[in-house]
Amino acid sequence: MSHVRNVEQFRSSLRRFLHTKGLKSTRQREVVAESFLAATDHVSADELYRDISTQHPGIGYATVYRTLKLLKEAGLAAERHFGEGFARFEPLEPGQHHDHLICTGCGAIVEFENPDIESLQDRVAERHGFAIDYHRLELYGRCAKCRPKQTHS
Amino acid sequence: MSHVRNVEQFRSSLRRFLHTKGLKSTRQREVVAESFLAATDHVSADELYRDISTQHPGIGYATVYRTLKLLKEAGLAAERHFGEGFARFEPLEPGQHHDHLICTGCGAIVEFENPDIESLQDRVAERHGFAIDYHRLELYGRCAKCRPKQTHS
DNA sequence: GTAGCTGCAAATCATTTGCATAACC
DNA sequence: GGTTATGCAAATGATTTGCAGCTAC
């Protein structure tokens, strides 16, 4: 889903963000951003760090965390918590949003979008006087492969 | 919403659970369970510990955590993460479920239920071959009080 | 009795931060 | 050239665990 992405565009978005904020565009930040995009979606900071380490042993844990935080601020990454005790991150296509189906058997994560659900959410929020900025919807269950076979007996 | 609850029923559910598992019903576990029910919904372990401390200075942090874990296993408590860096817990009415509206201004948490959203979720899951066990839906935004006043200019 | 608990302190794990040095603009 | 970034190591904060003594069954 988010794999079809314009790397160049992502890179320049980041540069623009850094420039606007008076921050510097460094080799490390480019490397982290690049690896982040190249990685499977929903990497943890640790996974990303390890990925990077193989090619760039110099880059430290702290830099990975610091860069991920910047990417979030730039609106280029989203932080997710799937109840594993640590965070996972995914690249964000500007203006795009999706929710997740998580298989409690094999850990597979499937992304989906559903406008009908979203408009119902808006209606609920409105009813309570809220103005929604963002939301989180996760469905936990068993994927087709992990589903226990039907008991026919 | 979950404040109207039968304390006696909760207590006996816990006892039954402990007994089935060959675990013991102790004074501390009763105290923690009691305070948990008495507390405002969505307490953190820390808040609960402090609550308890005032009446029962002997009970330690570890016991609070351990009992909360038991309550989860017993299906009597749900653990929630609202992005604060720690967990919040709420008593669970058997078979009842609800979602949350969270104000990013004042931290207010409002519970809601919406069957229409739930059935759409089921349909989405089905389409992907998933069998849903549970889900999590959180809407983040500003409540009526915290909403910036409309800019009319 | 004895397996299962408790309380404390120490351990763990993810994430953050202080600081001296190094890199961008 | 001065400000901001990096990399390490140490700090933090939430949660867990080891262990010696205590308690329920």
Side-chain angles (χ1 to χ4, degrees):
Chain A
M1 180 173 248
S2 26
H3 305 295
V4 187
R5 188 192 316 280
N6 189 328
V7 181
E8 212 34 74
Q9 176 191 309
F10 189 90
R11 219 195 313 240
S12 76
S13 286
L14 177 56
R15 283 226 193 87
R16 215 175 312 124
F17 172 78
L18 291 172
H19 192 263
T20 317
K21 292 273 183 176
L23 305 175
K24 290 170 182 171
S25 186
T26 66
R27 195 179 69 36
Q28 290 90 330
R29 285 176 179 168
E30 309 246 310
V31 167
V32 174
E34 209 92 353
S35 302
F36 175 55
L37 271 189
T40 316
D41 266 4
H42 313 108
V43 270
S44 62
D46 183 69
E47 287 164 0
L48 185 55
Y49 168 73
R50 279 215 250 278
D51 263 26
I52 293 172
S53 291
T54 65
Q55 307 296 318
H56 307 265
I59 295 182
Y61 239 106
T63 299
V64 171
Y65 272 106
R66 287 191 273 232
T67 306
L68 283 170
K69 183 181 265 182
L70 282 176
L71 290 171
K72 280 196 303 183
E73 285 166 24
L76 294 169
E79 181 175 345
R80 312 270 184 192
H81 291 260
F82 296 127
E84 303 167 293
F86 54 85
R88 292 189 172 278
F89 300 83
E90 65 180 304
L92 226 50
E93 211 75 69
Q96 223 179 79
H97 167 84
H98 57 252
D99 296 306
H100 297 91
L101 271 158
I102 297 114
C103 177
T104 52
C106 63
I109 300 173
V110 175
E111 301 173 351
F112 70 89
E113 277 177 77
N114 189 303
D116 294 346
I117 293 181
E118 315 248 327
S119 39
L120 283 172
Q121 287 173 2
D122 288 343
R123 214 168 314 159
V124 167
E126 203 178 311
R127 203 174 302 146
H128 289 273
F130 270 66
I132 298 301
D133 294 321
Y134 58 97
H135 73 263
R136 183 154 91 182
L137 172 58
E138 287 144 27
L139 310 180
Y140 294 85
R142 298 264 168 170
C143 73
K145 284 180 194 164
C146 295
R147 258 161 112 160
K149 304 286 160 275
Q150 253 81 42
T151 323
H152 282 290
S153 47
Chain B
M1 178 175 247
S2 27
H3 304 294
V4 187
R5 186 191 318 278
N6 189 329
V7 181
E8 215 30 78
Q9 176 191 311
F10 188 92
R11 219 194 313 239
S12 74
S13 288
L14 177 57
R15 282 227 193 88
R16 217 175 310 124
F17 171 80
L18 291 172
H19 193 262
T20 317
K21 292 273 183 180
L23 304 175
K24 290 171 180 167
S25 186
T26 66
R27 194 180 103 301
Q28 290 91 329
R29 285 178 178 166
E30 308 247 311
V31 168
V32 174
E34 208 92 354
S35 302
F36 175 54
L37 272 188
T40 315
D41 267 4
H42 311 109
V43 268
S44 62
D46 184 69
E47 286 164 1
L48 184 55
Y49 168 73
R50 280 216 249 279
D51 263 27
I52 293 172
S53 291
T54 64
Q55 307 297 319
H56 306 266
I59 294 182
Y61 240 105
T63 299
V64 172
Y65 272 105
R66 288 192 273 233
T67 306
L68 284 170
K69 184 180 267 184
L70 283 176
L71 290 172
K72 279 197 301 183
E73 286 165 24
L76 294 169
E79 181 176 345
R80 312 270 184 193
H81 290 259
F82 295 128
E84 302 167 293
F86 54 85
R88 291 191 172 277
F89 300 82
E90 64 179 304
L92 226 51
E93 209 75 68
Q96 219 178 83
H97 168 83
H98 58 252
D99 297 305
H100 296 91
L101 271 159
I102 298 114
C103 178
T104 52
C106 62
I109 300 173
V110 176
E111 302 173 352
F112 71 89
E113 276 178 79
N114 189 304
D116 293 346
I117 293 181
E118 316 247 329
S119 38
L120 283 170
Q121 288 173 0
D122 288 342
R123 215 169 312 161
V124 167
E126 204 177 312
R127 202 176 300 146
H128 289 273
F130 271 67
I132 298 301
D133 293 322
Y134 58 97
H135 74 262
R136 185 154 90 183
L137 172 58
E138 286 145 26
L139 310 179
Y140 294 84
R142 298 264 171 173
C143 73
K145 283 181 194 162
C146 295
R147 257 161 115 160
K149 304 286 161 271
Q150 252 81 40
T151 325
H152 282 288
S153 47

